[in-house]
Amino acid sequence: MWRVLVQHQRKVTETQEELVKLADGSAHLRACDLREATVAIERLLKELEQQRVVFLEYVGRCVRAQMDPEPTLAALAREVYCLEGALPALAVRKEFEAAVEAGQFVVVKGETGSSKSTQLPQSLVDMRCIQRKQVIVTQPRKVAAQELTKRVGLEFAAWDCRRAQQSRVVGFHVGGNCSFDPQQCRIKYGAIIIDEAHERSINTDVLLGLLKKDIHKYEDLKICITSATIETEMFCNFFGQAGSLNIPGRMFPVVVKHMPIQDAQDLARPTVSAVLKILDETAAEHQPEGPAHQSRGGDVLVFLTGQVWPLTCQGALLLQDKTD
């Protein structure tokens, strides 16, 4: 635990040094870019400091809870993971819990990379008003529900793969496929998270309408509406001045490179060429010695139209990999 605290403090120190560089003019940026960079780094510094405060508070809560050793160690491992990854959702955890306790409806705008989808369900589970109850998370797509289940289940088991596979406390229900055991899950519903509410699908809209209509029947039920691009004011007004919370995202620098395509009818060859070039350039930056193709690694996300081109490019990449 001390190791992760030291690592986190190192991140704080590095961020402070970056802020000093901007202040003394070491970074050569235009005036408008300098202001934006300063605001972003100041926000990150404040976020890191708040994460440490929240971490220490919740570690103390786990210790004082006097639970059995296994669940206590699992809870501590989850807190360590949050601080180690400097997850943005950790910094606003206290505000989120306060908003949940203040009313039945909470609208959360979590920007991309804020870890809202994985961390908010776990934060709800640890709240006193929801302990021993079931937390439901809805997703507009089947694949998202299944993948989110795997991730949250692994984190909830403190990254113990064996324990995550054996435990069926975290699971999904897609169509007729149910991966969790209702007998092992929390007995009563405590909270419902409507994720990606901005997509406004028929199922989501009907669910939101039913929850608003019948919420008076469930006085202890908490409803969280979350999205990266949600219109917070509109949803708050719909649910009668519901509480709201904003979780900042995690942004990374983006380099735009244009590669002309000679033959628009054949996307496979230029796509494969671009992917291999990216992998080789990345490998060369991190491992300058030796041929770049021998140390290729990492992932590249490629957007293609239709169903044919992804399969064609996949086959071309596999063939190229064998020839290398």
Side-chain angles (χ1 to χ4, degrees):
M1 186 176 299
W2 288 111
R3 177 184 60 83
V4 73
L5 284 172
V6 171
Q7 290 179 348
H8 190 76
Q9 183 58 42
R10 189 178 297 121
K11 294 178 183 178
V12 173
T13 303
E14 292 173 354
T15 306
Q16 291 173 338
E17 292 175 353
E18 289 293 329
L19 196 60
V20 171
K21 290 180 181 178
L22 292 177
D24 61 17
S26 300
H28 301 287
L29 297 174
R30 293 180 302 175
C32 58
D33 295 334
L34 180 61
R35 286 194 298 270
E36 292 179 0
T38 302
V39 171
I41 293 179
E42 288 177 345
R43 189 183 72 173
L44 176 60
L45 182 61
K46 183 179 180 180
E47 180 181 298
L48 289 171
E49 293 172 346
Q50 185 62 24
Q51 287 169 354
R52 179 186 176 89
V53 173
V54 173
F55 171 78
L56 293 174
E57 179 175 337
Y58 281 88
V59 165
R61 178 190 295 185
C62 292
V63 174
R64 292 191 299 270
Q66 297 181 348
M67 299 183 292
D68 293 335
E70 185 174 354
T72 299
L73 290 175
L76 290 174
R78 294 200 302 271
E79 299 299 334
V80 168
Y81 164 75
C82 290
L83 185 66
E84 194 171 27
L87 301 180
L90 176 63
V92 297
R93 184 171 176 180
K94 292 174 63 177
E95 289 83 350
F96 173 68
E97 291 189 354
V100 171
E101 292 177 349
Q104 286 190 273
F105 289 99
V106 179
V107 179
V108 180
K109 182 178 182 180
E111 298 176 8
T112 303
S114 65
S115 65
K116 67 181 185 308
S117 297
T118 57
Q119 297 306 310
L120 296 188
Q122 298 181 67
S123 298
L124 287 171
V125 167
D126 292 335
M127 292 182 62
R128 291 182 179 179
C129 61
I130 302 179
Q131 284 181 352
R132 301 185 180 280
K133 297 179 183 178
Q134 186 174 356
V135 175
I136 300 176
V137 182
T138 68
Q139 288 287 337
R141 289 172 296 278
K142 297 179 181 179
V143 175
Q146 295 171 348
E147 293 302 317
L148 185 62
T149 298
K150 294 178 184 178
R151 180 70 182 193
V152 174
L154 191 59
E155 292 184 11
F156 198 72
W159 295 94
D160 186 337
C161 297
R162 180 188 59 81
R163 183 166 172 259
Q165 292 174 354
Q166 292 178 351
S167 174
R168 300 183 67 189
V169 174
V170 181
F172 63 85
H173 193 169
V174 176
N177 188 5
C178 183
S179 72
F180 65 91
D181 185 356
Q183 299 301 323
Q184 295 186 27
C185 288
R186 286 164 170 74
I187 300 172
K188 186 180 178 183
Y189 297 147
I192 299 176
I193 298 179
I194 313 296
D195 201 6
E196 307 298 349
H198 70 279
E199 295 197 6
R200 303 297 303 276
S201 64
I202 293 178
N203 292 332
T204 299
D205 282 0
V206 170
L207 180 58
L208 291 173
L210 290 174
L211 289 173
K212 178 184 178 181
K213 177 184 176 183
D214 297 332
I215 193 63
H216 63 278
K217 300 179 182 178
Y218 312 97
E219 296 181 355
D220 297 330
L221 184 64
K222 304 294 184 179
I223 310 297
C224 301
I225 300 95
T226 67
S227 172
T229 57
I230 195 171
E231 296 183 30
T232 306
E233 185 177 356
M234 181 184 70
F235 276 85
C236 287
N237 293 334
F238 177 76
F239 290 109
Q241 301 302 317
S244 63
L245 181 68
N246 181 59
I247 305 178
R250 183 68 51 78
M251 303 300 291
F252 296 92
V254 176
V255 177
V256 179
K257 295 183 178 180
H258 296 279
M259 299 182 64
I261 298 177
Q262 302 297 334
D263 184 5
Q265 301 300 321
D266 182 13
L267 292 177
R269 278 185 289 181
T271 299
V272 171
S273 176
V275 169
L276 295 179
K277 183 178 180 181
I278 291 172
L279 292 174
D280 289 342
E281 289 178 352
T282 304
E285 291 178 2
H286 296 281
Q287 298 180 7
E289 65 282 355
H293 68 272
Q294 293 184 1
S295 56
R296 287 173 181 163
D299 301 304
V300 177
L301 178 62
V302 181
F303 294 92
L304 295 166
T305 58
Q307 297 180 342
V308 176
W309 285 119
L311 296 176
T312 304
C313 292
Q314 182 185 23
L317 275 171
L318 292 175
L319 182 62
Q320 182 68 35
D321 187 54
K322 290 180 180 180
T323 57
D324 287 345

